[in-house]
Amino acid sequence: MTVDESASTDDVPLQRRFDRAAGVPLYAQIRDALRQQIDSHSLPSGAPLPTEEALQARYGVSRSVVRQALGDLADLGLIVRQRGRGSVVAPRPEHRRRADQAGGLRQQVEASGHHLRTEIVGLAVDEAPSTAATALGLTDTWRLERIRRVEEQPLVFMRTWLPRELFPHLSAEDLDGGSLHDWMRARGVEPQGGPRQLQAVPADEAVAAHLDLRVGVPVLLLQGVTRDQYGRGLEWFTAWHRPDTVFDVDAHVGPRPPGAGSGEELGRVRELVQELAVLLGTQPPRA
């Protein structure tokens, strides 16, 4: 039996038992249990961790095992160990981007004083899945996989399908470190934008590995199609963002529904109707 990773870190008398024959060191099992809670934000930034004594009692292990687990979390930058004050979850940088802006992630990140780097992790000719094929109107595509990093930390894992009839020649060297939309513009194609969808989904094994997360941690999935000025589909993409990403969007109040005018407005309308009737001679002027 492994650690109950969803359990609270409050002091409780019940010990969590480990599988000592699983081949995974005990300190690593404790580290991973705590990291799961940090990654899922069950332990948010600034939250205190239990004392070493509490963790010993909870997991039934020696203090040296607990200290090794906490040391690993500190080395990963996930907790801050304070002498005489225990450990707290380290503050995590908050990355913001516009949900209603197609592309421009580099400019948005660099505007906040950070550096964005793009790493190509896969490029191959592949048949587009049904959703991408519908959006692009074809199945003969490139499948491009990239990781966008901020200060060497993964921020976004992107999987993009591009039509080969528009882009017959494509190599990792063409795109490594650069902007896909800038690469399109250099070939005479102008991205304009298109519909987007944003939802929270659990990270599968591939996404978790690329974003340095635990499998099942909620991530933000942005997906959609980008078209040019002629309506041609240039790309269908799926972009998984780490949970510390904040999407900003401008919200606008809709127009007033019919019949929802204020009493003041209705009174003014009545006055105008009466004035018009006087001018037409169908009603005598008011005294």
Side-chain angles (χ1 to χ4, degrees):
M1 180 174 65
T2 58
V3 182
D4 178 4
E5 297 184 357
S6 65
S8 167
T9 57
D10 294 337
D11 291 341
V12 295
L14 179 63
Q15 287 186 355
R16 265 62 173 178
R17 297 295 181 182
F18 295 97
D19 185 354
R20 295 175 180 267
V24 179
L26 297 179
Y27 79 88
Q29 295 185 52
I30 296 175
R31 176 201 65 205
D32 292 345
L34 293 173
R35 182 174 182 177
Q36 167 69 17
Q37 296 183 61
I38 295 171
D39 285 342
S40 66
H41 292 256
S42 295
L43 284 171
S45 296
L49 269 70
T51 63
E52 292 180 359
E53 292 81 3
L55 290 173
Q56 282 182 259
R58 172 177 288 276
Y59 297 120
V61 296
S62 67
R63 175 166 290 191
S64 63
V65 171
V66 169
R67 286 181 173 175
Q68 192 168 1
L70 296 177
D72 271 14
L73 292 173
D75 290 342
L76 291 169
L78 297 177
I79 67 171
V80 177
R81 306 184 74 180
Q82 303 170 324
R83 191 175 186 84
R85 300 178 59 189
S87 301
V88 299
V89 178
R92 310 189 82 172
E94 187 179 82
H95 300 291
R96 311 184 77 94
R97 69 169 303 181
R98 300 289 311 177
D100 52 1
Q101 180 175 331
L105 179 59
R106 179 181 302 278
Q107 292 84 350
Q108 295 175 52
V109 168
E110 293 181 351
S112 63
H114 298 284
H115 174 67
L116 181 73
R117 183 173 69 86
T118 301
E119 175 188 351
I120 307 299
V121 295
L123 176 63
V125 175
D126 196 7
E127 181 175 333
S130 59
T131 306
T134 300
L136 299 175
L138 47 76
T139 58
D140 184 16
T141 57
W142 297 99
R143 187 188 73 249
L144 172 66
E145 295 184 342
R146 296 170 291 163
I147 299 176
R148 316 296 296 274
R149 299 181 182 274
V150 177
E151 313 302 348
E152 299 306 315
Q153 296 299 314
L155 174 64
V156 190
F157 170 57
M158 302 186 71
R159 186 175 292 138
T160 306
W161 285 268
L162 303 105
R164 293 183 66 208
E165 69 176 22
L166 285 179
F167 309 111
H169 307 293
L170 179 59
S171 68
E173 290 75 18
D174 291 333
L175 300 174
D176 197 13
S179 163
L180 177 60
H181 287 177
D182 286 347
W183 179 84
M184 290 180 178
R185 293 184 184 100
R187 281 146 186 81
V189 177
E190 186 62 36
Q192 294 291 308
R196 304 285 188 265
Q197 299 172 351
L198 181 64
Q199 60 182 317
V201 299
D204 62 21
E205 290 186 7
V207 171
H210 287 309
L211 294 182
D212 194 22
L213 296 170
R214 299 278 295 173
V215 173
V217 169
V219 293
L220 295 171
L221 172 62
L222 179 68
Q223 61 184 92
V225 61
T226 301
R227 305 185 187 279
D228 66 5
Q229 66 270 38
Y230 307 111
R232 296 181 301 181
L234 305 181
E235 64 168 347
W236 169 265
F237 68 88
T238 51
W240 293 267
H241 297 70
R242 286 185 59 94
D244 45 18
T245 307
V246 176
F247 281 87
D248 295 316
V249 61
D250 286 330
H252 302 278
V253 176
R256 186 188 303 274
S262 67
E264 181 180 346
E265 291 172 335
L266 291 174
R268 180 56 181 157
V269 169
R270 291 191 185 100
E271 290 178 1
L272 292 173
V273 170
Q274 188 173 36
E275 291 175 8
L276 179 60
V278 170
L279 292 174
L280 293 175
T282 60
Q283 181 175 320
R286 289 185 295 182

